[in-house]
Amino acid sequence: MALSVGEHMPDSSRADILEAAAHCFMERGYAATSIDDVARRLDATKGRIYHHYSSKSDLFADVFRFGMEMNYRAIEPLRRSGEKAVERWRQMALIHVVQMITTRQFQRVVWEGVEMHLRGATTPEQRTAFAELIERRSRYSDIFRDLLAEARDDGDMRFENLGIANQLVFITLNSPIFWYSPRAGETARDIEEIGRQVVAFALHGLGVRKGNP
Amino acid sequence: MALSVGEHMPDSSRADILEAAAHCFMERGYAATSIDDVARRLDATKGRIYHHYSSKSDLFADVFRFGMEMNYRAIEPLRRSGEKAVERWRQMALIHVVQMITTRQFQRVVWEGVEMHLRGATTPEQRTAFAELIERRSRYSDIFRDLLAEARDDGDMRFENLGIANQLVFITLNSPIFWYSPRAGETARDIEEIGRQVVAFALHGLGVRKGNP
DNA sequence: GTTGACAACATACCCGGTAGTATGTTCATC
DNA sequence: GATGAACATACTACCGGGTATGTTGTCAAC
């Protein structure tokens, strides 16, 4: 239910399928999730799913795409703020972490999708279908990476190897998809507080002096 | 082949099976790996594997166990050095990261095993078999966690929530299992250098002042 | 207000792959 | 030369992806 996205949303039936699929893929992983599992969660049958998606990997890819687009839309407003690179990075990182927490089901699918691609555990047809998604994911990652390089040139960050630093930071920011679990009565401020600590850890790791405002 | 562990090693036939299984599980994940895949990598058939292991999950559990025991043995010599907590943590963290790189196949299985347990995606019988492994894994993690707490009490580290800090640090130290890929002609010193940068990132994230010696 | 057409599913079925088993086969060791 | 370990071979049972076909509601045209 409650996909907190009005615009850019496909019809509600597909949305329900996406949500259910994301949950199942999150809980059991791609390979261990059957189409019947997803259908069962919808109180429906395979017929409904195969009416909208041509294959299991097609469904997975759509969950992947949707999760990623949510991230793009979340950080979009911040990309052209006049701030310095380090500050833009901080703001975007915080938004990103909050996204990881609030849309956890989808983000784990994104993660597994990247993993599947890196491992090459896909059929040739799937690889071409995935290629554009992976490409788009890489460009998303580049946004953060470029800011890191810029911030270092500004003298606001100090680290050695850019590639390694970017990997470490990215996994740090994504890590809530693994260890976060929702608490009863948790507010948006609580989540933002967690995000603040994650970003603070990353910033210190990147050699940024001052704490968070 | 080349399991760089002499002692504590089961007979060589089982060792080859473990190694092959670790590779397959790393490349495709547990669910997507078939027993025939493992057998194929051994130039053998299922018969060989089922002669030594009673089930697929049993094999997986043994890879899990073996990978974890390697970690225990690696850090064991450092546990009772006279150093301060922050210094012991640094040394153990470095060893741990190097372990993640050099025994990557096994460590990814350990990771997936923990994941499977957290997701609850196991049958009741498997859960009890896994329980002791997970427990042992938790105690391994506690070693690092306790050192974090001690180092903070010493005034050598500064962070807010211990649980969050530990999660962030642990995923940072484990992250090479995801992004590291071996380069041709890479030496042990190269790997240690990578480890140094990972640990440096984590230490800074934990609010430790001085750089690495 | 009936019919026809189509979307949105459900039902029933097929079939390949895979975990696990049952049964050889070989070789060493006593 | 008998016995058992260490496999290979052959087979079964079942699950799950995909398909083919039926069913229901809606909406437009006449």
Side-chain angles (χ1 to χ4, degrees):
Chain A
M1 55 187 70
L3 272 174
S4 55
V5 199
E7 18 89 51
H8 280 108
M9 195 55 201
D11 54 295
S12 76
S13 184
R14 283 174 91 100
D16 288 343
I17 295 177
L18 275 184
E19 177 75 16
H23 261 287
C24 292
F25 287 143
M26 172 179 67
E27 286 181 350
R28 315 216 176 221
Y30 176 75
T33 298
S34 74
I35 297 289
D36 291 296
D37 287 338
V38 180
R40 210 168 300 131
R41 173 172 259 269
L42 287 166
D43 278 318
T45 64
K46 290 151 83 129
R48 178 168 174 192
I49 296 174
Y50 277 103
H51 178 72
H52 293 280
Y53 296 96
S54 64
S55 69
K56 182 181 173 183
S57 66
D58 187 33
L59 172 60
F60 184 82
D62 206 32
V63 177
F64 187 143
R65 181 197 330 275
F66 187 75
M68 203 171 39
E69 295 305 326
M70 290 176 83
N71 297 347
Y72 265 103
R73 286 201 297 276
I75 66 166
E76 186 57 34
L78 297 175
R79 295 203 48 188
R80 291 193 176 270
S81 79
E83 317 264 7
K84 287 188 75 178
V86 61
E87 178 58 20
R88 269 182 298 166
W89 188 91
R90 198 190 64 76
Q91 293 175 0
M92 283 174 42
L94 179 58
I95 294 287
H96 180 83
V97 174
V98 171
Q99 276 289 113
M100 293 303 110
I101 294 178
T102 55
T103 65
R104 188 160 164 263
Q105 326 97 309
F106 291 91
Q107 303 309 329
R108 283 202 65 133
V109 171
V110 172
W111 177 273
E112 192 176 358
V114 173
E115 279 295 298
M116 284 171 59
H117 185 261
L118 291 179
R119 301 199 272 207
T122 45
T123 70
E125 319 117 28
Q126 290 182 21
R127 284 193 79 80
T128 54
F130 263 54
E132 100 188 68
L133 290 173
I134 295 293
E135 179 60 30
R136 190 151 170 73
R137 167 71 174 181
S138 292
R139 271 177 294 176
Y140 180 79
S141 177
D142 288 345
I143 296 173
F144 288 81
R145 187 191 177 106
D146 292 347
L147 281 177
L148 279 192
E150 192 179 338
R152 181 166 68 168
D153 290 346
D154 291 346
D156 291 326
M157 288 184 180
R158 276 172 299 123
F159 49 83
E160 307 183 39
N161 185 295
L162 174 60
I164 294 181
N166 192 51
Q167 294 282 11
L168 293 174
V169 155
F170 213 66
I171 212 173
T172 297
L173 298 184
N174 284 329
S175 68
I177 66 176
F178 295 117
W179 52 261
Y180 172 79
S181 69
R183 303 279 176 188
E186 207 165 32
T187 70
R189 267 201 87 66
D190 295 330
I191 291 178
E192 197 144 349
E193 168 61 21
I194 296 175
R196 234 203 64 257
Q197 291 192 38
V198 174
V199 173
F201 176 87
L203 281 171
H204 292 147
L206 289 167
V208 176
R209 292 281 182 179
K210 63 163 188 181
N212 300 61
Chain B
M1 54 188 70
L3 274 175
S4 54
V5 199
E7 19 87 52
H8 279 106
M9 195 54 200
D11 55 294
S12 75
S13 185
R14 283 174 91 99
D16 288 344
I17 295 177
L18 275 184
E19 177 75 17
H23 262 288
C24 291
F25 287 142
M26 171 179 67
E27 286 181 349
R28 314 218 177 220
Y30 176 76
T33 298
S34 73
I35 297 289
D36 290 297
D37 287 338
V38 179
R40 211 169 299 131
R41 173 173 259 267
L42 288 165
D43 277 318
T45 64
K46 289 152 84 124
R48 178 169 174 191
I49 295 174
Y50 277 104
H51 179 71
H52 293 278
Y53 295 96
S54 64
S55 70
K56 182 181 172 183
S57 65
D58 187 34
L59 173 61
F60 183 83
D62 206 34
V63 176
F64 187 142
R65 181 197 331 274
F66 187 75
M68 204 172 37
E69 295 306 325
M70 291 176 81
N71 297 347
Y72 265 102
R73 286 201 296 277
I75 65 166
E76 186 57 34
L78 297 175
R79 294 200 50 188
R80 291 192 176 270
S81 80
E83 317 264 7
K84 287 188 74 177
V86 59
E87 179 58 19
R88 270 182 297 165
W89 188 91
R90 198 189 63 78
Q91 292 174 359
M92 283 174 43
L94 180 57
I95 294 288
H96 180 84
V97 174
V98 171
Q99 276 288 114
M100 293 303 111
I101 294 177
T102 55
T103 65
R104 189 161 164 260
Q105 325 97 311
F106 291 91
Q107 303 308 330
R108 284 202 65 133
V109 172
V110 172
W111 176 273
E112 192 177 358
V114 173
E115 280 295 300
M116 284 172 60
H117 186 261
L118 290 179
R119 301 199 271 207
T122 44
T123 70
E125 319 116 29
Q126 289 181 22
R127 284 192 79 80
T128 54
F130 262 55
E132 97 187 72
L133 290 173
I134 295 293
E135 179 58 32
R136 189 150 171 73
R137 168 71 174 182
S138 292
R139 272 177 292 176
Y140 179 78
S141 177
D142 288 344
I143 297 173
F144 287 82
R145 187 191 176 105
D146 292 347
L147 281 177
L148 278 193
E150 191 179 339
R152 181 166 68 169
D153 290 345
D154 290 347
D156 292 326
M157 288 183 179
R158 275 171 299 125
F159 49 82
E160 308 182 39
N161 185 295
L162 174 60
I164 294 182
N166 192 51
Q167 294 281 10
L168 292 173
V169 155
F170 214 66
I171 212 173
T172 297
L173 298 184
N174 284 329
S175 68
I177 67 176
F178 295 117
W179 52 261
Y180 171 79
S181 68
R183 302 282 176 186
E186 206 166 31
T187 71
R189 267 200 88 66
D190 295 330
I191 291 178
E192 199 145 324
E193 167 62 20
I194 296 175
R196 233 202 66 257
Q197 291 192 38
V198 174
V199 173
F201 177 86
L203 282 171
H204 291 147
L206 290 167
V208 176
R209 293 280 184 179
K210 63 164 187 181
N212 301 62

